[in-house]
Every structure is written in C-alpha cells, then in structure tokens.
Amino acid sequence: GAGVSQSPSNKVTEKGKDVELRCDPISGHTALYWYRQSLGQGLEFLIYFQGNSAPDKSGLPSDRFSAERTGGSVSTLTIQRTQQEDSAVYLCASSLDVTGYEQYFGPGTRLTVT
Amino acid sequence: AQSVAQPEDQVNVAEGNPLTVKCTYSVSGNPYLFWYVQYPNRGLQFLLKYITGDNLVKGSYGFEAEFNKSQTSFHLKKPSALVSDSALYFCAVRDIRTGGFKTIFGAGTRLFVKA
C-alpha cells in the first residue's frame, strides 16, 4: 500500500523567504509527526497531531515555525522568514491512533536556505 | 522530561561477530521504547519496540533488544552482524504517563560492519 509521502523532495530557498512543506500520511493513520534532522544529527521532534486533539507544539524551535493539519489528513509545515540554520531534512511520520504503535516515515524534504 | 542517550557515535564490528548498540533513557513514568534504522539514501524504518511484557524483544532482520528497567537501558543486539547491517540506528522513547504521542529520538549511532 501507499506509504507516507512528502513534497517537495528538495527545496532551495533564499534567506528570508517563506516555505511550505507537505506531508500525506498513510490512510487511516490519525497521528502525524514532524521532525527535523540536521546534517549528522539525530531527529529533533517538532510537532505532532493526534486525531482532533490540540497539537503538541512543544518542539517548534521558534514562532517562525507553524504547522496545520486539514481534515485530519494532509499536513503542512510552514517556515516563515527562513534562516540558514533552518537548513535540514524535514521528516514526517504517521502512526495508528493507539499509543505504542510504531511510526512510518516519509522520505523527507531536504531544505537548503542560501 | 523524557530523554534518550546513545553514548556511541559509531560502532565498528566485523562481519559474523555479535553487535551491540547502546541506549539509555530517562522518563518520569513507564516508557515505550523503539529502535529505528536509517539505511543510506532510504527512509527511517521501524525495527522493534518494547511496550510491556517480556524484557527481550525481537524485531526485523534478526535484531533484538533487552529492556532493563533498573539500568534504564534498551540496548540493541544481533548475534551475527552482516555487512548489510551498516546503517544509522536511532533509539526512541515515549513517556506513556506524561508524553502522549510525543516521541524523543536519540542522536543516532552509526554502525559499520566490516567484511
């Protein structure tokens, strides 16, 4: 079946521009997560959505970062006024709406801010 | 707050030898523990998890991990390493009492298996 998809796969943007990254989770998965993986670093939790509950935004690094999830499915991560330190691979994952279930990851969006 | 430590940036092992990738965690409640693997140019894949029950859990590709509550550890092991096991391994923890679905990942350990 279809896995988690993300678009674009690569994005190069100039410092100060806004970018939107998209994630399509696996159908039927109600939990959706965003992570950031900087070069040579681990995964940094950004935000998660679970069903109709308020999202856990505790990992967002600054107010330039925001995310929404429409209709309980597709999610968009928006970075405003991008900075060079925002350059990273942004990973999306989804899981079943049961605690303890593993996450299924998308291929990621590689963001480069010049 | 929950946290995960992977004390080794890199582990080198010869093919056919046993391998161990270490992980320790810190949570205020009971943990759900996971191992994921990232092969070169491929996405993160789930390997195994500990939720409850038997402390020794078995996962994909012959990997296993042992949950040790007293040492707050969840080391990944394999009896006989393959060159194809070379990848980046991540340990992750979820605090089921306070963290909801929030999952914290370690910094990762790069495994090199030499032929």
Side-chain angles (χ1 to χ4, degrees):
Chain A
V4 177
S5 61
Q6 293 185 244
S7 60
S9 55
N10 280 284
K11 177 70 177 180
V12 180
T13 190
E14 292 180 352
K15 178 181 172 181
K17 301 283 190 183
D18 298 350
V19 295
E20 285 189 351
L21 313 180
R22 177 187 167 106
C23 173
D24 284 87
I26 293 173
S27 178
H29 282 191
T30 55
L32 186 149
Y33 315 76
W34 284 98
Y35 297 91
R36 180 168 69 176
Q37 185 175 24
S38 302
L39 185 63
Q41 301 298 313
L43 269 69
E44 176 186 6
F45 167 79
L46 297 178
I47 185 172
Y48 84 77
F49 301 86
Q50 193 271 312
N52 295 320
S53 302
D56 180 336
K57 305 179 182 180
S58 60
L60 294 178
S62 77
D63 59 7
R64 296 187 295 106
F65 288 72
S66 63
E68 63 178 21
R69 189 177 185 192
T70 54
S73 181
V74 172
S75 177
T76 302
L77 177 69
T78 301
I79 309 173
Q80 296 178 309
R81 305 182 302 281
T82 53
Q83 305 294 314
Q84 287 187 330
E85 60 263 28
D86 299 335
S87 297
V89 175
Y90 289 81
L91 294 168
C92 175
S94 69
S95 73
L96 288 167
D97 187 16
V98 178
T99 56
Y101 270 78
E102 61 266 28
Q103 298 173 35
Y104 294 80
F105 282 81
T109 294
R110 181 175 298 277
L111 175 66
T112 304
V113 182
T114 61
Chain B
Q2 62 218 73
S3 65
V4 175
Q6 293 182 243
E8 303 153 315
D9 292 336
Q10 183 172 311
V11 170
N12 298 309
V13 64
E15 187 174 36
N17 283 0
L19 69 87
T20 299
V21 182
K22 295 179 181 177
C23 171
T24 59
Y25 66 90
S26 175
V27 297
S28 55
N30 291 323
Y32 285 171
L33 294 156
F34 304 83
W35 276 101
Y36 287 82
V37 59
Q38 190 173 37
Y39 295 104
N41 301 315
R42 291 169 63 180
L44 270 159
Q45 299 175 30
F46 167 78
L47 265 184
L48 51 78
K49 64 184 177 186
Y50 170 81
I51 304 299
T52 187
D54 194 346
N55 289 344
L56 183 65
V57 294
K58 295 185 183 295
S60 307
Y61 312 120
F63 283 93
E64 59 189 28
E66 185 166 12
F67 170 62
N68 187 317
K69 188 172 183 178
S70 63
Q71 297 185 4
T72 62
S73 67
F74 190 58
H75 301 330
L76 181 70
K77 300 183 180 185
K78 187 173 182 182
S80 179
L82 300 172
V83 172
S84 58
D85 292 330
S86 298
L88 186 57
Y89 291 81
F90 291 97
C91 181
V93 66
R94 178 183 297 165
D95 185 339
I96 62 174
R97 185 175 73 85
T98 64
F101 278 69
K102 181 176 179 178
T103 305
I104 300 301
F105 282 74
T109 298
R110 193 165 294 279
L111 174 66
F112 287 100
V113 182
K114 195 174 184 180

